[in-house]
Amino acid sequence: MVQEKLKKGEKRTKLRLPPGRRGWPLIGDSINWYNAVASSHPPQFVEEMVKRYGKIFSCSLFGKWAVVSADPTFNRFVMQNEGKLFRSSYPKSFRDLVGKNGVITVQGEQQRKLHGIASNMMRLEKLKFHFLNDIQKVMLQTLSNFENNQVILLQDVCRKVAINLMVNQLLGVSSESQINEMAQFFSDFVDGCLSIPINTPGFAYHTAMKAREKIINKINKTIEVHRKNGSPTAGSGVLGRLLEEESLPDDAVADFIINLLFAGNETTTKTMLFAVYFLTQCPQAMKQLLDEQDSLRSSSGEEFLTWQDYKAMPFTQCVIDETLRLGGIAIWLMREAKEDIQYQDFVIPKGCFVVPFLSAVHLDENVYNGALNFNPWRWMEPENEVIPPAAARSLECIVSYMNCDVKTG
C-alpha cells in the first residue's frame, strides 16, 4: 500500500521525513523560495534541491517543515486526496486577503458548496453566450485604440483586458472609470498576497488590506443596487445571478466574488500574456491557429465566433493546454497534512506543509519530450491526452471560469 494513516500507538521514530535540510533559523529556505518563484525560472530552487535530495524532499518554509514534490505520482496522490488527507493551507497574508469565506481557502462542506455554486454559474448558457461576445468586443475595442507601429507594454494591456472582462462578468460593471479604479485596487491587492503580514503603513500587506476594503465596499454597493432593482437583468453579471439563486450571507457573497475576481484576473492575464509570447515565437502555430478560426468564421458567416465555433477548435485547445503547461499559470500549490501520513518509506506529520510544485513536473523531460519547447501539437498525440497540465487541476486557478476545458485527466 502506497500510503496509510499511522496505526494507533505506532512510534513515529520508525519513520522519517523525506531527505532535505532545515535552512536558516526561523526563515528556513523561505527567501530562496521567494527569489526563485519570482524569477524568470521559478523551478530553480526546486531543481537544485531535487539534484541533492530527490524529487520529494523536505525543507523549512514560512516557519514550518514542508514536503516539496516534483514527482508527478505524489502530486496526483495529494490532489486525489484533497479534503481527505490534505487540506488547502496558505500564508496568513493570503488567507486574510481572500477572506474566510473564500472559495480558495474554505474547507469541508462549505468548500464543496461554493465550488458547486461556481461550477453552476459558469455552466449557464446565457453566461457563455454573453461572455464569449464580450471577450471579442473588449479585444476589438482594445486593438482599435492602438496606432500603427505603436510600442505597447503587453503585460499592462493583458491585465487591463482581464480586469475589464472579470469586473463586467462578475459585477455587471462596464464604466471605464470604474474598471480603471478596480484595476488599481487589484494591483495593490495582488502585491500583498504573499507579503509579510505587517499591518503598518508602508508595508505591502497594509496597502493590500486597504485595497481589499475598497473592493468589498464596491461589491456591497453593487449588492444594494441589485436588491433595490429586484430581479437581475441580462447584464447584471454573476453577482446578480448569485443573489437571485443562492442563499448566502452578504459577507460570504463578497468573499466569493473577490475570490473569483482575483483568480480569474490573474490566470487570464498570464494566460493571454504567455499565449501571445509563445505564438510570436512559433509562426507555424500562429498560422494554424488563425487558419482554424478563419475557416470557422467564413463558414458561419457570423461577425463573432460562437460557443459552438469555440468548441470546434481542437488546435486552439492544444495552444491553451500548452500555454498552461509551459507558462506556469499555477506554479505550485500549498496543502497541509490533516493527519500523520505514510508515503512509501517517508512520514508526513500532521500539520506539515505539502507543496506539489507543478511547474517542475511540467518542465520535466522525463514527462514531456522537449519540455522547454512550445509544442502545441504534443496534445494531439494519444499518449498525452491523459497527461494534463497539472495547473488545470488547481481549483485556485478557476480555469473553468474561462471555459478553457483543459484536460484534467
Side-chain angles (χ1 to χ4, degrees):
M1 189 173 183
V2 174
Q3 66 80 28
E4 59 180 7
K5 292 168 60 176
L6 289 182
K7 294 178 182 178
K8 191 173 182 179
E10 182 178 4
K11 292 183 179 179
R12 288 172 57 177
T13 54
K14 293 181 181 179
L15 300 164
R16 59 190 176 87
L17 278 167
R21 69 186 186 193
R22 190 64 164 167
W24 292 93
L26 297 179
I27 62 173
D29 278 305
S30 299
I31 294 177
N32 294 330
W33 177 272
Y34 277 129
N35 287 341
V37 298
S39 73
S40 59
H41 187 60
Q44 180 180 349
F45 170 75
V46 174
E47 288 173 352
E48 292 172 357
M49 295 290 280
V50 165
K51 288 178 182 177
R52 295 182 62 182
Y53 302 112
K55 288 193 173 183
I56 303 175
F57 63 88
S58 60
C59 62
S60 176
L61 296 176
F62 318 116
K64 292 175 63 174
W65 270 114
V67 172
V68 181
S69 168
D71 181 82
T73 303
F74 180 71
N75 289 354
R76 191 175 301 113
F77 163 72
V78 172
M79 288 184 278
Q80 286 174 343
N81 285 280
E82 177 82 27
K84 300 175 185 176
L85 301 176
F86 304 95
R87 61 187 170 201
S88 60
S89 179
Y90 294 93
K92 174 177 167 52
S93 56
F94 187 87
R95 296 196 309 271
D96 290 346
L97 285 166
V98 300
K100 64 179 181 179
N101 297 301
V103 65
I104 296 174
T105 55
V106 291
Q107 308 289 341
E109 186 58 37
Q110 183 71 352
Q111 182 186 52
R112 286 187 286 274
K113 179 180 179 180
L114 292 178
H115 285 166
I117 292 172
S119 297
N120 290 334
M121 289 291 161
M122 301 313 127
R123 288 182 186 138
L124 291 169
E125 291 303 319
K126 288 184 179 179
L127 181 62
K128 289 178 180 178
F129 172 78
H130 289 295
F131 193 22
L132 199 59
N133 277 354
D134 288 345
I135 289 173
Q136 295 172 84
K137 289 176 182 177
V138 168
M139 291 307 303
L140 287 173
Q141 180 184 1
T142 302
L143 293 173
S144 68
N145 292 330
F146 298 152
E147 299 177 2
N148 289 335
N149 300 318
Q150 177 183 349
V151 177
I152 63 170
L153 295 176
L154 184 59
Q155 179 172 293
D156 292 345
V157 172
C158 290
R159 181 169 284 127
K160 186 169 183 178
V161 167
I163 196 67
N164 189 330
L165 288 170
M166 299 307 297
V167 169
N168 179 271
Q169 290 300 312
L170 293 175
L171 299 178
V173 172
S174 56
S175 163
E176 185 171 356
S177 61
Q178 291 186 48
I179 289 170
N180 289 337
E181 186 178 40
M182 287 291 282
Q184 182 57 55
F185 292 159
F186 258 89
S187 178
D188 294 339
F189 179 95
V190 171
D191 287 345
C193 281
L194 292 177
S195 62
I196 300 172
I198 300 177
N199 201 7
T200 302
F203 287 87
Y205 175 81
H206 176 81
T207 303
M209 289 298 291
K210 290 294 183 183
R212 172 184 160 81
E213 289 178 14
K214 294 173 182 176
I215 295 169
I216 294 293
N217 286 337
K218 288 282 185 184
I219 295 172
N220 288 335
K221 287 180 181 177
T222 307
I223 290 174
E224 291 178 12
V225 171
H226 281 306
R227 290 205 169 116
K228 287 180 180 178
N229 294 339
S231 298
T233 62
S236 61
V238 170
L239 177 59
R241 298 180 185 277
L242 190 64
L243 294 173
E244 177 73 11
E245 301 173 18
E246 304 293 341
S247 56
L248 292 174
D250 286 359
D251 59 342
V253 170
D255 280 350
F256 183 83
I257 292 296
I258 204 170
N259 273 240
L260 291 182
L261 280 169
F262 166 68
N265 181 58
E266 284 300 290
T267 56
T268 306
T269 298
K270 290 180 180 178
T271 302
M272 286 194 296
L273 178 64
F274 281 118
V276 172
Y277 173 77
F278 292 143
L279 286 168
T280 56
Q281 303 299 313
C282 187
Q284 184 182 355
M286 174 73 87
K287 183 179 184 304
Q288 187 167 338
L289 183 81
L290 293 175
D291 288 346
E292 180 177 74
Q293 297 181 13
D294 287 340
S295 65
L296 285 168
R297 184 179 288 108
S298 61
S299 63
S300 66
E302 298 290 335
E303 179 184 4
F304 288 154
L305 294 169
T306 66
W307 183 253
Q308 289 71 29
D309 291 334
Y310 169 73
K311 299 300 288 185
M313 295 180 183
F315 187 70
T316 298
Q317 188 62 64
C318 291
V319 170
I320 293 170
D321 288 350
E322 185 69 348
T323 300
L324 290 172
R325 182 195 69 82
L326 189 57
I329 310 305
I331 299 174
W332 50 282
L333 308 177
M334 183 164 281
R335 299 292 182 263
E336 182 180 292
K338 294 176 67 175
E339 56 200 38
D340 291 346
I341 302 165
Q342 183 178 344
Y343 185 86
Q344 297 178 354
D345 296 330
F346 306 127
V347 64
I348 303 173
K350 179 179 179 180
C352 180
F353 283 144
V354 179
V355 186
F357 202 89
L358 309 179
S359 186
V361 177
H362 295 166
L363 305 181
D364 189 340
E365 290 284 348
N366 295 318
V367 180
Y368 299 100
N369 291 328
L372 296 179
N373 300 324
F374 179 72
N375 176 18
W377 297 275
R378 76 171 74 245
W379 299 104
M380 294 179 174
E381 300 169 3
E383 62 268 26
N384 282 336
E385 290 183 358
V386 294
I387 306 177
R393 300 188 62 92
S394 170
L395 287 170
E396 289 87 335
C397 288
I398 317 294
V399 175
S400 60
Y401 181 79
M402 298 311 299
N403 290 309
C404 285
D405 289 335
V406 178
K407 304 176 185 71
T408 56

